[in-house]
Amino acid sequence: MMDNLRTAANSLVLKIVFVIIILSFVLTGVGSYLIGGSSNHVAKVNGTAISQVQLQQAFQQEKQVLQERLGDQFAEIASSEQGMQMLRRQALERLIGVTLLNQYSNQLGLTASDNQVKQDIYNMPIFQTDGHFDSEKYRTILSQHNVNADDLAQEIRQNLINRQLSKMYITDEFVLPEEVKSYAQLLLQQREVKTATLSLANYQSKQTVTDKELQDYYNAHQNSFISPEQVQVSYIKLDAASQRENVAVKDEELKNYYEQNIANFTQPAQKHYSMIQLPTEKEADSVVKSLAGGADFKQLVAEKSTDKFSAANHGALGWMEATSTPSEIIAANLTKKGQISAVIKSASNYIIFRLDDIKPEVVKPFQSVKTEIANTLKNEKAINAFYSLQQTASRAAMDDNESLTAAEKATGIKAVTTGWFSRNNLPEEIRFDKVADTIFNGNLVDKNGPTGINSDVINVDGDRAFVIRVEKYKPQVTQPFDEVKKTVAELVKLNKATKEMEAEGNKLLTALKQGAGEAALAKLGINFGDAKIIERFEQNDVLVEPIFQMPIPKENTPTYFSTKDAKNNLVIIQLIKVTQGQPTDEELKVFSQRYKMILGNVMMESLMLNLRDSAKVDLGRME
């Protein structure tokens, strides 16, 4: 079957069926997500460049999505240079993946029409009011999230294409009913369990410690009781976003950009084709004669065409640009509306094409893209101003190393002075690994304290930079035993309690497996609670995963397992019975779709791995 799928994926019929030309997105301007915006590329994928501008846009989107998902927890990642670099690499990998999929889709002739993209957007609840698409809400949400409409359209278009790719590999015949039933039974499985808990707090409350134990623990773990070196610093913050407020663009600049990039605002000419596919040349010749005699094209499609996909749409293949029109259609050399081709040989079939309609090339008027161009130029100017400000700050800070006064005057930005902090708790605004390294591992402090010099500009995250000097310094010291004695006592008690609890838990588990559990439970003063039915998808229960990993009981003999709960108590689990799920016919339909989706995702992941393995990817420099 897989050989058949691979053959189909490379056949002309599949190419023709799915060739629907990518038009410019109807709601807004020309798609720019994969249009190179700079010769300074960060990667080339089989010769297709990914620019710094594209990466920066994708990186900002990754940040915004992650921030919305994590909320306040995002600050910890954002303050880490390593975290931001990881996010930037993730954005680049996503761009590489999008490029590879686009290239592969083009090879197969797959695409998605503007109407499909538009309908997908119209159907998104986030853009609807009272169940209907709200254009004002759409524009507001995109503006709030700093998402370009063309980028959104490209993302949706790619998702539509991905669905087509999945359908190519996953069909109804691929998924057997028994597989779906087994999958559904497994997911709907229920497990009857009882639990008994050994409380860590109870064990901890019983512990006693001696001064020798405390002193021994302190001596062995002195590195855990170090008061780290601390500093107070002054810094000047340079912010790329603030520079955008100070830049403006003239109409002349906008017009020059429009004229120099007119191709980006041009919709090429398009042609709409239909086809009739026949199994033999004789039958195809007969259809050509019928058409020449005035026979109805659509009626012949319904009666004769062996291609069910195009026949379901009266033979229509959709609108196509010259660059994405299959070679067989090009060979038909159709130039006039209504013109019908001769018989075209394709693999094991014979095809007759008709040119249904023609759309001439359309150039978007300057006024319709003026705002888009202004935003592009403002961003470019803001970035240039940001880098210029960095150079100004760097020169001033180096010329006058006695303070940040000269840098303040040169940049017009007031320096901020912090309180005391260590490497592990930098103030939030300067919480970046690169800043921490400059302060604690650079030349701003030495064994005698602050060196009295200013740092050079420290560029972080691509859109922020700092000039820093250390004002005061406290060296690292080991906290005296008397100061941490109480903390040491709690740690020693916790360690002793955990070891005692785990030792008694192991003995209890062994006794239960040997059939002597009643006495062992009584000795510990605990009992199994009432039986509970556990389902696989119960939320906020850390015991679910270990419960469903336990062996199924045999001959009415329970199985046992021990694990820790959220409070580090030791929980003994008794698995009494396993009941297979009994899905209804409606549930089986749902699970069938879900199962096919899972298989489709697996195959898409395999496809991406194969594409990446065979691709030539040259990585450039990520700023």
Side-chain angles (χ1 to χ4, degrees):
M1 177 179 174
M2 289 306 297
D3 289 338
N4 293 337
L5 285 171
R6 293 189 188 97
T7 301
N10 290 291
S11 71
L12 171 71
V13 174
L14 188 65
K15 292 179 184 179
I16 296 174
V17 167
F18 287 111
V19 168
I20 306 170
I21 192 59
I22 297 178
L23 305 174
S24 62
F25 182 48
V26 295
L27 293 179
T28 54
V30 175
S32 62
Y33 197 67
L34 288 176
I35 296 174
S38 170
S39 60
N40 185 18
H41 66 271
V42 292
K44 278 191 176 180
V45 183
N46 294 325
T48 300
I50 297 174
S51 71
Q52 291 280 3
V53 173
Q54 290 172 267
L55 176 59
Q56 186 63 18
Q57 290 173 344
F59 172 60
Q60 294 300 333
Q61 289 179 17
E62 293 279 356
K63 279 205 307 183
Q64 190 144 6
V65 169
L66 193 61
Q67 187 171 9
E68 290 175 359
R69 186 181 303 163
L70 297 180
D72 294 341
Q73 297 176 348
F74 176 75
E76 184 176 346
I77 297 176
S79 65
S80 164
E81 187 71 16
Q82 183 180 3
M84 288 295 96
Q85 286 298 328
M86 182 176 68
L87 205 60
R88 194 178 293 273
R89 285 194 296 271
Q90 180 176 309
L92 178 58
E93 284 299 318
R94 186 161 68 89
L95 286 176
I96 291 172
V98 168
T99 305
L100 288 170
L101 275 179
N102 279 350
Q103 292 172 347
Y104 185 65
S105 301
N106 288 337
Q107 290 175 13
L108 297 181
L110 301 180
T111 185
S113 70
D114 278 352
N115 280 336
Q116 290 173 294
V117 173
K118 181 176 71 174
Q119 199 57 50
D120 233 39
I121 292 175
Y122 282 2
N123 291 337
M124 289 183 177
I126 191 174
F127 298 138
Q128 293 180 351
T129 300
D130 297 329
H132 299 284
F133 178 75
D134 185 333
S135 59
E136 185 62 34
K137 189 176 185 180
Y138 164 80
R139 286 190 290 270
T140 301
I141 291 174
L142 262 59
S143 177
Q144 288 174 346
H145 291 78
N146 195 29
V147 174
N148 181 278
D150 293 331
D151 296 347
L152 174 65
Q154 180 62 27
E155 289 280 355
I156 292 173
R157 197 185 302 278
Q158 191 60 55
N159 286 336
L160 290 169
I161 291 172
N162 289 350
R163 290 179 215 167
Q164 293 180 33
L165 286 171
S166 296
K167 288 178 182 178
M168 286 170 50
Y169 292 111
I170 299 296
T171 64
D172 288 334
E173 65 184 77
F174 190 87
V175 180
L176 300 176
E178 283 304 313
E179 289 182 41
V180 175
K181 186 176 181 180
S182 297
Y183 168 70
Q185 287 176 335
L186 181 63
L187 291 186
L188 296 176
Q189 185 185 95
Q190 295 180 332
R191 296 197 165 200
E192 184 177 348
V193 301
K194 292 182 179 180
T195 60
T197 302
L198 280 65
S199 169
L200 178 60
N202 288 344
Y203 282 93
Q204 196 169 357
S205 65
K206 298 174 184 177
Q207 301 304 316
T208 59
V209 293
T210 65
D211 286 343
K212 184 178 185 308
E213 286 178 313
L214 299 182
Q215 189 67 57
D216 288 346
Y217 185 92
Y218 174 79
N219 292 341
H221 300 86
Q222 284 196 28
N223 287 341
S224 301
F225 304 105
I226 291 175
S227 178
E229 57 183 339
Q230 294 183 303
V231 294
Q232 284 186 337
V233 305
S234 294
Y235 67 88
I236 293 175
K237 177 186 175 183
L238 311 175
D239 188 351
S242 63
Q243 299 305 305
R244 200 177 189 278
E245 302 171 1
N246 301 323
V247 299
V249 292
K250 300 176 182 178
D251 281 348
E252 183 180 352
E253 294 176 282
L254 299 177
K255 289 177 181 177
N256 287 339
Y257 184 93
Y258 175 76
E259 292 169 359
Q260 292 169 9
N261 296 274
I262 194 68
N264 292 345
F265 306 108
T266 301
Q267 171 61 59
Q270 299 172 308
K271 293 181 178 181
H272 191 285
Y273 296 97
S274 295
M275 78 169 188
I276 304 174
Q277 177 178 287
L278 290 308
T280 67
E281 187 173 11
K282 182 178 179 180
E283 290 176 273
D285 288 336
S286 175
V287 169
V288 169
K289 290 179 181 178
S290 296
L291 290 169
D296 183 72
F297 189 92
K298 291 183 179 179
Q299 184 176 343
L300 288 175
V301 169
E303 294 174 356
K304 304 288 188 180
S305 185
T306 59
D307 180 65
K308 60 182 180 180
F309 296 107
S310 60
N313 197 29
H314 307 296
L317 301 175
W319 290 99
M320 303 182 191
E321 294 176 5
T323 55
S324 61
T325 302
S327 58
E328 287 78 3
I329 296 181
I330 294 173
N333 194 28
L334 302 177
T335 58
K336 297 179 180 179
K337 182 177 177 180
Q339 186 179 359
I340 296 174
S341 74
V343 176
I344 304 295
K345 179 72 169 65
S346 172
S348 59
N349 300 299
Y350 296 84
I351 302 175
I352 301 158
F353 296 108
R354 183 180 71 177
L355 176 56
D356 304 318
D357 203 354
I358 300 172
K359 287 182 181 179
E361 177 183 276
V362 176
V363 179
K364 288 193 174 186
F366 170 70
Q367 289 299 328
S368 71
V369 294
K370 184 176 179 180
T371 300
E372 177 188 339
I373 296 173
N375 285 332
T376 298
L377 292 180
K378 279 187 177 181
N379 288 338
E380 290 180 358
K381 285 191 173 186
I383 290 173
N384 290 335
F386 175 56
Y387 288 126
S388 176
L389 185 65
Q390 289 185 51
Q391 294 174 355
T392 299
S394 176
R395 285 194 297 268
M398 294 299 101
D399 289 345
D400 180 6
N401 249 320
E402 298 300 319
S403 70
L404 292 178
T405 302
E408 286 180 308
K409 290 180 180 178
T411 61
I413 301 173
K414 183 70 176 175
V416 176
T417 301
T418 71
W420 289 101
F421 64 88
S422 66
R423 185 184 184 108
N424 295 326
N425 68 336
L426 272 71
E428 184 173 351
E429 191 167 59
I430 60 171
R431 197 175 295 160
F432 296 93
D433 288 349
K434 194 179 289 187
V435 173
D437 285 340
T438 301
I439 294 172
F440 294 98
N441 296 339
N443 60 354
L444 302 186
V445 295
D446 59 23
K447 63 181 181 180
N448 297 317
T451 57
I453 63 175
N454 300 326
S455 75
D456 199 353
V457 172
I458 309 165
N459 199 301
V460 299
D461 204 16
D463 60 0
R464 277 166 288 182
F466 300 93
V467 178
I468 291 180
R469 68 179 286 111
V470 175
E471 305 290 357
K472 297 180 181 179
Y473 175 78
K474 291 180 183 178
Q476 170 183 296
V477 293
T478 301
Q479 294 173 279
F481 173 72
D482 290 340
E483 287 185 11
V484 296
K485 185 175 181 180
K486 185 176 179 180
T487 301
V488 172
E490 291 300 318
L491 291 170
V492 173
K493 287 180 180 180
L494 178 62
N495 286 345
K496 293 175 71 174
T498 301
K499 290 178 182 178
E500 185 178 340
M501 179 184 69
E502 290 176 347
E504 292 193 346
N506 289 334
K507 291 179 182 178
L508 175 58
L509 198 61
T510 300
L512 288 166
K513 290 177 179 178
Q514 293 174 350
E518 292 297 326
L521 287 166
K523 183 178 180 181
L524 293 174
I526 61 173
N527 292 294
F528 280 111
D530 295 334
K532 295 186 295 184
I533 302 298
I534 303 297
E535 296 181 344
R536 189 179 296 272
F537 298 111
E538 299 215 13
Q539 297 180 349
N540 302 322
D541 191 340
V542 296
L543 301 182
V544 171
E545 185 174 347
I547 286 173
F548 277 88
Q549 290 176 347
M550 292 176 66
I552 296 176
K554 296 179 180 179
E555 300 177 356
N556 297 320
T557 302
T559 56
Y560 297 93
F561 187 74
S562 66
T563 188
K564 297 280 184 70
D565 66 12
K567 295 181 179 180
N568 280 323
N569 300 314
L570 190 67
V571 180
I572 308 297
I573 303 170
Q574 181 189 67
L575 177 56
I576 303 168
K577 185 172 68 173
V578 174
T579 303
Q580 292 288 71
Q582 298 298 321
T584 64
D585 288 343
E586 286 301 314
E587 287 174 327
L588 283 174
K589 290 180 182 178
V590 174
F591 278 112
S592 176
Q593 293 301 317
R594 185 181 298 176
Y595 190 61
K596 284 190 285 187
M597 188 180 298
I598 290 172
L599 291 179
N601 289 338
V602 169
M603 297 191 74
M604 284 297 291
E605 289 177 10
S606 298
L607 171 64
M608 287 305 304
L609 288 173
N610 288 334
L611 290 176
R612 185 65 192 265
D613 286 344
S614 59
K616 182 181 180 182
V617 180
D618 299 319
L619 297 179
R621 181 173 60 88
M622 289 198 301
E623 291 182 351

